[in-house]
Amino acid sequence: MNLKRRQFLFLGSLGTISTGLVGWKLAHQNHYIANIANSAVIAATPPKKDLLLRFTSVADTGTGAKGQYAVAGAMNYYHQKNPYDLVVLAGDNIYNDGEIEKIGAVFERPYKELLTQGVKFHACLGNHDIRTENGDPQIKYPGFNMKGRYYTFRRDAVQFFALDTNRNADWKNQVVWLEQELSRSDAPWKVVFGHNPFYSSGHYGVSQTLIKRFTPLFKQYNVQLYINGHDHHYERTHAIDGTTYLTTGSGAGVRPVGRSQWTENSADRLAFAAYDVYPDRIEVSAMGTDKRIFDQGVIKFKSA
C-alpha cells in the first residue's frame, strides 16, 4: 500500500512537471511568435505616401568623444529605420577652437556610416568655430556644404536659410540678404538655422538681440521653424508668432535645462532631432542615445 502510494505520487509529480514544461514551451513559443509578428509589422510599415522630405538636426558635436559617438550611433540607427539624406549641423562643429586639422576626429570618423551612405551635412558657424581664422577653413571644407557665412539652399518643398549668429557677424548685410531671400522664396516651408538660440530655458537664455533683428522677418515671411545649438540641451517651443524654435545642442555633451512659458518639451540628455515634412505639417521627433523617441510634436502648415 505504501509502495503504491509512493508510485502514484511519483507518477503524479511527473505529470505535473510534464504539463508545466509543455505550458512553458507553448508560452515561450507564443511569446517568440508574437515578437516576430510585432517586428514584422514594424519592418513592413511603409512610409506615408505624402512625405516630402525627412531630415535631422544636431549641434555642438565636434568633440570626437564618446558622447558624440553615442548620438551618432542613434542617428545611424534612425537612418536604418527611417532613411534620410540631410543633416542640419547647427554650429560648434570643431572643439575647442575650430581647428580644421581635427576634422577627421570630430566629423569624418564619428559620422562615417552616414557619410558613406550619401547623407549630406549642411553646417553653420558656432562661437568655437570662429576662433581659428574666423571659421574660413570650415566654410571651404566640402563636407560642410557651406556657400558662405550665411547661405540658402532648397530641398523639395523646404527652403533652408543658414545664419551666422556670432558676435562678429556681418549683421547689416546679413539681415538685408535674409529679407531678400525670404521675399523671393516660393517654398511652402521655410526653415532657418543658426548657432545661437532666440528662446532657451538653459544656460544662455533668451536673446533679445536676435529676437529684435530677425523675428519681424520670420513673422512677415512665414518662417515656420528655427533650429539652433549653443545651449547643450534639447528644447522645443510652441509656435511663437508662427515660428517653432528648436534647440538641439546636446550632440556631444549636456547641460541642465529648465522650462519656460513657451516650452513644449525640454530635456538635458544627449539627443538629435528628426523632421518628417508633409504638405500640411512637419512631424518632429527627438531621439536619445538609448535609441528611443522621447519627444514628438507637430508644426502645422500656415500660409502667409
Side-chain angles (χ1 to χ4, degrees), residues 200-260:
S200 171
S201 302
H203 177 73
Y204 291 103
V206 175
S207 173
Q208 293 295 342
T209 300
L210 291 176
I211 290 171
K212 183 178 179 180
R213 280 189 176 125
F214 290 112
T215 58
L217 296 180
F218 288 6
K219 184 177 181 180
Q220 180 179 355
Y221 295 104
N222 196 33
V223 172
Q224 297 101 340
L225 174 63
Y226 175 77
I227 299 168
N228 65 272
H230 201 39
D231 259 330
H232 297 182
H233 65 256
Y234 171 85
E235 184 171 13
R236 176 174 59 87
T237 74
H238 60 68
I240 303 172
D241 288 330
T243 304
T244 296
Y245 296 83
L246 204 143
T247 300
T248 53
S250 55
V254 176
R255 281 195 295 255
V257 61
R259 292 182 63 89
S260 304

Side-chain angles (χ1 to χ4, degrees), residues 15-173:
T16 301
I17 292 171
S18 177
T19 302
L21 287 172
V22 171
W24 176 87
K25 186 175 181 180
L26 288 173
H28 182 71
Q29 287 176 335
N30 289 338
H31 178 69
Y32 178 71
I33 292 169
N35 281 345
I36 291 176
N38 289 337
S39 298
V41 169
I42 294 171
T45 301
K48 297 176 183 177
K49 293 181 180 179
D50 56 346
L51 178 67
L52 301 175
L53 177 68
R54 176 180 291 129
F55 68 98
T56 63
S57 73
V58 69
D60 300 85
T61 54
T63 64
K66 63 180 181 179
Q68 183 183 13
Y69 274 90
V71 176
M75 293 173 71
N76 294 338
Y77 174 82
Y78 190 82
H79 182 268
Q80 293 167 9
K81 304 294 183 182
N82 304 280
Y84 59 90
D85 62 3
L86 169 62
V87 179
V88 168
L89 189 60
D92 280 359
N93 314 308
I94 304 175
Y95 284 105
N96 280 321
D97 300 312
E99 311 97 311
I100 197 66
E101 59 268 21
K102 292 182 177 179
I103 197 67
V106 304
F107 178 71
E108 294 172 349
R109 287 198 287 276
Y111 305 114
K112 180 180 179 180
E113 185 171 333
L114 294 175
L115 292 169
T116 55
Q117 295 182 75
V119 177
K120 285 191 174 182
F121 287 69
H122 283 264
C124 66
L125 295 174
N127 56 298
H128 284 267
D129 299 319
I130 63 172
R131 293 180 179 179
T132 296
E133 298 181 48
N134 202 25
D136 288 339
Q138 291 194 41
I139 295 172
K140 298 173 184 176
Y141 173 64
F144 286 163
N145 294 289
M146 298 175 69
K147 300 175 182 178
R149 309 192 76 79
Y150 45 90
Y151 64 97
T152 184
F153 66 97
R154 182 162 174 171
R155 291 289 305 274
D156 300 301
V158 185
Q159 186 158 356
F160 295 86
F161 306 83
L163 299 181
D164 177 6
T165 60
N166 289 294
R167 292 182 179 180
N168 66 345
D170 181 4
W171 292 109
K172 182 179 179 180
N173 290 325

